[in-house]
Amino acid sequence: MNEYVKANKRSWGVIAKDHYEVFKARLLANETTLSQTQIRELGNVAGKRLIHLQCNTGADTLSLARMRAKVTGVDLVPENIHYARKLAADLGIADARFVESNVLDIMDKHHEKYDIVFTTEGVLCWLPDLYLWARNVRHLLADGGFLYVLDSHPFYMLWDEEKLPELVVKYPYFQKTADQDDWIGGYASESKPATNYSWMYTMGEIVTALSQAGMHIEWLHEFDWLYYQLSAEKQVRAEAGGWLYPEHRGKLPYTFSLKATVR
C-alpha cells in the first residue's frame, strides 16, 4: 500500500462516525439511500450475490440488502467496516457481510464470485491504478455477472467546484499526478482537516481499463445532474434525482453510469 493510499485510509477514518450517524438516520426514515436511477439501472437484484466495493459505512450496501440481494461490503478503512457492521445490527440485517480490504488487492485474499460488482458515487478518483482495479473487478465476477458503476463524470471533474456554474478549469483532464487536499468530508459530515489524495481519469481510460481486463461495456449513460448537492443556492433538484445547475441543463455531463459484463 503506497503512502497516498495510507493517507486516504487515515483520512476517511476521521469522518466514519459522522457518516454512520447521518446514514443511520436516513435509513431509519427511508427504505433506501439509492437513487431511482441506480435502482432502475441495476434491475432486480433479489437473490443475487452482490459485492459492494468502497462501501464506506455500508448504507448503500444495506439498501441493497433490503432489496434482497446477498450482500458483501468491502472498504479499506477499518472504522468504516466497524460502523457498517454496527449499522447492519441497528437495522436488524443479520446476513450482510463486511470485509476490510484495499480493493486494489482483494483478488489476492478473496476468491468468491459474484453476480454483481457494485461501486458508486465518489469511488474512482480514490484509486491510484485504474487498470489494477479493473483486474480485481474481473476476478470477483462470476460468468454471466456484471459490474455497475455510477460516478462523477470525468468532464465534471475538470472544473473549480467553488466557481460553478462558471466554468474554470482547476484539475487538468490529462493530469497523471495525485492531487492533494487537506480537508475531507462535506457531503455527509462537516469537512475536517485530513490530508488525502485523488486522481483524475479520462472516460477513455475507464472504458479501456475494463476492456483490457476482459469485460464488455454493455452501455454507458451520461447525465446533466450531480448525485450530491454542491451548492444549495445554485443547484436545483433534477427530475431524475440528483442536483443540477439550471444554466447547464441538457448541456454538460456531471454524472455517468455504466454496465460492464464478462466477455
Side-chain angles (χ1 to χ4, degrees):
M1 187 185 302
N2 67 37
E3 293 305 313
Y4 292 152
V5 175
K6 289 179 181 178
N8 288 348
K9 183 177 180 178
R10 293 190 297 268
S11 186
W12 281 95
V14 170
I15 54 176
K17 186 172 186 292
D18 292 351
H19 281 195
Y20 157 74
E21 292 172 347
V22 167
F23 292 128
K24 178 182 177 180
R26 291 183 188 174
L27 284 172
L28 289 174
N30 300 286
E31 182 68 17
T32 185
T33 53
L34 300 176
S35 69
Q36 289 305 304
T37 296
Q38 291 170 305
I39 292 170
R40 181 182 70 254
E41 292 184 333
L42 273 173
N44 184 8
V45 300
K48 303 286 189 180
R49 298 161 297 170
L50 183 151
I51 189 166
H52 179 189
L53 303 184
Q54 295 168 270
C55 71
N56 199 282
T57 54
D60 286 354
T61 322
L62 298 173
S63 294
L64 291 159
R66 284 178 163 179
M67 295 168 63
R68 295 186 291 122
K70 300 175 182 178
V71 299
T72 299
V74 179
D75 202 272
L76 170 73
V77 182
E79 293 89 344
N80 281 349
I81 295 300
H82 167 76
Y83 283 112
R85 291 170 177 158
K86 183 171 174 57
L87 184 57
D90 294 338
L91 298 174
I93 300 174
D95 56 351
R97 298 188 305 168
F98 291 96
V99 176
E100 181 187 331
S101 176
N102 184 348
V103 298
L104 295 182
D105 61 19
I106 192 170
M107 64 181 173
D108 297 328
K109 61 188 74 169
H110 191 80
H111 302 290
E112 295 181 39
K113 302 298 181 182
Y114 296 86
D115 303 306
I116 303 170
V117 174
F118 175 92
T119 187
T120 67
E121 299 188 353
V123 285
L124 298 184
C125 67
W126 301 105
L127 302 171
D129 189 333
L130 200 64
Y131 291 84
L132 178 57
W133 165 80
R135 294 197 296 275
N136 276 269
V137 169
R138 177 62 187 89
H139 167 81
L140 294 167
L141 280 172
D143 292 343
F146 68 88
L147 164 71
Y148 177 76
V149 179
L150 183 145
D151 210 348
S152 301
H153 197 291
F155 192 71
Y156 155 67
M157 301 294 286
L158 290 169
W159 312 120
D160 186 330
E161 58 270 52
E162 295 181 0
K163 295 183 178 179
L164 283 166
E166 180 186 359
L167 300 179
V168 177
V169 174
K170 182 178 180 180
Y171 309 98
Y173 189 63
F174 297 103
Q175 179 174 317
K176 292 294 164 257
T177 55
D179 185 76
Q180 179 178 325
D181 194 343
D182 294 319
W183 294 83
I184 193 73
Y187 69 95
S189 69
E190 294 294 326
S191 292
K192 296 184 178 182
T195 298
N196 58 89
Y197 300 89
S198 60
W199 290 265
M200 173 69 87
Y201 293 109
T202 68
M203 188 62 78
E205 287 171 322
I206 295 168
V207 170
T208 301
L210 295 172
S211 178
Q212 288 188 358
M215 285 173 275
H216 165 72
I217 308 300
E218 186 167 317
W219 47 254
L220 189 153
H221 298 152
E222 298 168 286
F223 307 100
D224 60 0
W225 45 263
L226 193 58
Y227 53 83
Y228 63 97
Q229 188 178 49
L230 193 58
S231 170
E233 294 77 24
K234 298 177 181 179
Q235 290 175 298
V236 299
R237 286 290 283 182
E239 293 83 355
W243 287 263
L244 60 76
Y245 293 95
E247 299 91 333
H248 298 162
R249 187 190 301 268
K251 297 179 180 178
L252 296 177
Y254 279 80
T255 297
F256 80 96
S257 62
L258 66 79
K259 179 180 179 180
T261 53
V262 176
R263 284 201 304 225

